[in-house]
Amino acid sequence: MLVGALHSFLSTIDAQSLLVAALNDRRLAHLDVRSLGGGASAAEEFYRGSDTPELLVIELPPTDTVSEAADRLTRLAENCDPGTAVLLLGWVNDIDWYRRLMDLGIAEYLCLPAPSSRLSHVLIAALQRDDAAGNGKVTAVLGASGGAGASTVALELAYARRRKQQPAPLLMDLDWTFGSQDLLTDVPARDTIKPYLLETPELDPALLAKLLHSAQGLRIFAGVPSLKTTEPLLAPDGVRRLLTAARFLASDIILDLPHAWTPAVREALRFADEVVLVALPTVPGFRNLRSLITACEALRPNEAPPRVLVNRVPSDFARSEFGRSYIGGLAAGAYVLAGDCGLALASARARLGPVSPKAALAKALAQLFATGKAPEVSADPKLWQRLPLLRRFAT
């Protein structure tokens, strides 16, 4: 979700209604919005002695010529802060008009009437600058069934992101009942964050930063798993405060979510910029996966479907009747079939490091997040998969 302030100066009911509908997008839910009205003339007067917000939405009068509109923007620019983005709404559909306004340095010009989803995307693009504080990208990883390997996928996804960028990604284990990232990465879990989430309306990013550990190029947050209470350890408002603070600390945040359907998990899925579902090639796994995809579509309207990684796929899965049915139920280009991506720990405190870029899991993640289509990836079949006699003793 995005943070910041938005001021609007709209003079027509149609433009005002469009903005209200666009702001229903869950990514814009935490913006500080002020509807001031009056159009472009009111904006010129209002900011003569006032600071401008991160985003201005201004409606141009239908009678303005391109020269008059340019003059308005020039006068407004004299009072605009350097970090302010200006989005113009207008009623003229002309390419020369559009180019002239864009040459003046505005973020975007949107011709009315327009669908609210289009305005939502324009607002998000204007606010999602790489250098903007508090706008780190959040990727939520959730297992469609227990033992699907979601924690391993979340960790290796963080390692994969680390290989591609200089700033260290932030890996957050939000399973405070049965979490495992503290064991997988061999860092001590900390319990001191819980009182702040329960008692304070906002969480200071500097406080959260003190609770992070560094391991193998990652920044890691892991709460202490506990069975001492039957009350939820993390409420939805706690999730919002925690992730809002985390977005100030890293440009890339990976969430390892518990295999549960609680208000906190739903809020994390709603908050995230993208969702990865990890499933097993079984009938219960497929049922749970379809249910989660449907639920994510309801939680995250007007957004891309979740990415799906099907783990531990037998070599002949795609050729079986169930395999063809399973694959046919997934969105094209949104899934990857991976071979045995599971990694066994030698002991309870063994550290799980980054796999080789040539490993099945690394290949699957690279395909899953590649632009465009996501082709099928499978590991080489092991000996027991090739010999039917050995297969019986391996199950």
Side-chain angles (χ1 to χ4, degrees):
M1 292 188 183
L2 300 170
V3 294
L6 181 153
H7 292 179
S8 66
F9 295 85
L10 308 178
S11 55
T12 64
I13 298 296
D14 289 342
Q16 293 170 2
S17 300
L18 176 64
L19 179 61
V20 170
L23 291 174
N24 286 329
D25 190 291
R26 59 101 198 164
R27 292 164 289 184
L28 303 171
H30 291 278
L31 289 180
D32 180 11
V33 179
R34 293 183 63 186
S35 298
L36 300 168
S41 300
E44 294 177 38
E45 295 294 329
F46 186 84
Y47 293 113
R48 290 190 189 278
S50 303
D51 294 333
T52 52
E54 284 82 359
L55 181 58
L56 279 175
V57 181
I58 299 174
E59 181 183 5
L60 295 174
T63 57
D64 265 7
T65 64
V66 66
S67 298
E68 291 171 334
D71 291 341
R72 291 182 187 276
L73 290 176
T74 301
R75 293 193 296 269
L76 179 62
E78 296 174 356
N79 299 308
C80 270
D81 298 330
T84 297
V86 178
L87 168 62
L88 296 181
L89 306 181
W91 300 88
V92 177
N93 187 7
D94 182 82
I95 187 63
D96 292 331
W97 172 284
Y98 176 81
R99 289 173 177 170
R100 177 76 180 276
L101 294 178
M102 295 299 293
D103 288 342
L104 294 173
I106 66 170
E108 187 59 89
Y109 171 78
L110 187 61
C111 182
L112 301 177
S116 60
S117 58
R118 170 61 179 158
L119 180 55
S120 295
H121 288 300
V122 170
L123 294 174
I124 291 166
L127 289 166
Q128 269 185 336
R129 302 188 302 274
D130 292 337
D131 59 343
N135 284 335
K137 180 181 179 181
V138 179
T139 302
V141 181
L142 176 64
S145 56
S151 293
T152 300
V153 170
L155 178 57
E156 293 300 333
L157 176 58
Y159 283 132
R161 297 273 176 87
R162 179 65 182 89
R163 285 192 288 265
K164 291 187 177 181
Q165 63 185 24
Q166 187 61 32
L170 173 56
L171 174 63
M172 305 186 74
D173 189 348
L174 297 189
D175 188 348
W176 289 358
T177 304
F178 299 105
S180 59
Q181 292 297 347
D182 58 328
L183 300 177
L184 296 179
T185 56
D186 196 18
V187 300
R190 290 178 172 174
D191 196 31
T192 52
I193 193 67
K194 296 174 186 176
Y196 294 97
L197 294 178
L198 296 174
E199 299 171 5
T200 60
E202 293 185 4
L203 179 61
D204 187 353
L207 172 63
L208 179 60
K210 294 179 180 179
L211 303 177
L212 303 181
H213 291 281
S214 295
Q216 301 189 42
L218 303 181
R219 303 178 77 186
I220 300 168
F221 173 81
V224 177
S226 173
L227 298 177
K228 295 180 180 180
T229 177
T230 58
E231 298 297 323
L233 296 177
L234 196 57
D237 59 337
V239 170
R240 289 192 294 270
R241 293 199 298 273
L242 183 62
L243 297 184
T244 298
R247 294 185 68 182
F248 283 90
L249 302 178
S251 59
D252 211 337
I253 301 149
I254 294 92
L255 306 181
D256 181 8
L257 297 180
H259 173 58
W261 194 244
T262 64
V265 170
R266 292 195 291 272
E267 183 60 29
L269 293 173
R270 187 182 295 111
F271 193 101
D273 297 292
E274 59 184 353
V275 175
V276 178
L277 301 178
V278 184
L280 295 175
T282 62
V283 173
F286 182 55
R287 178 201 61 193
N288 296 347
L289 178 61
R290 292 295 300 167
S291 298
L292 283 173
I293 291 174
T294 302
C296 286
E297 290 173 350
L299 288 171
R300 305 161 54 82
N302 302 322
E303 296 191 57
R307 302 175 190 269
V308 176
L309 190 146
V310 187
N311 194 8
R312 301 171 188 165
V313 177
S315 58
D316 58 349
F317 177 75
R319 295 189 296 273
S320 66
E321 183 178 352
F322 173 67
R324 290 193 296 270
S325 175
Y326 194 120
I327 296 170
L330 301 177
Y335 69 92
V336 162
L337 299 183
D340 186 3
C341 294
L343 296 174
L345 293 178
S347 67
R349 295 293 293 177
R351 176 180 295 180
L352 182 58
V355 298
S356 165
K358 296 181 180 180
L361 179 53
K363 292 179 180 180
L365 291 174
Q367 296 286 357
L368 188 62
F369 287 92
T371 303
K373 50 186 180 177
E376 182 177 317
V377 178
S378 61
D380 293 334
K382 296 179 173 56
L383 179 63
W384 64 265
Q385 292 176 317
R386 295 196 300 265
L387 300 179
L389 180 63
L390 294 180
R391 188 183 305 154
R392 289 190 307 167
F393 295 98
T395 56

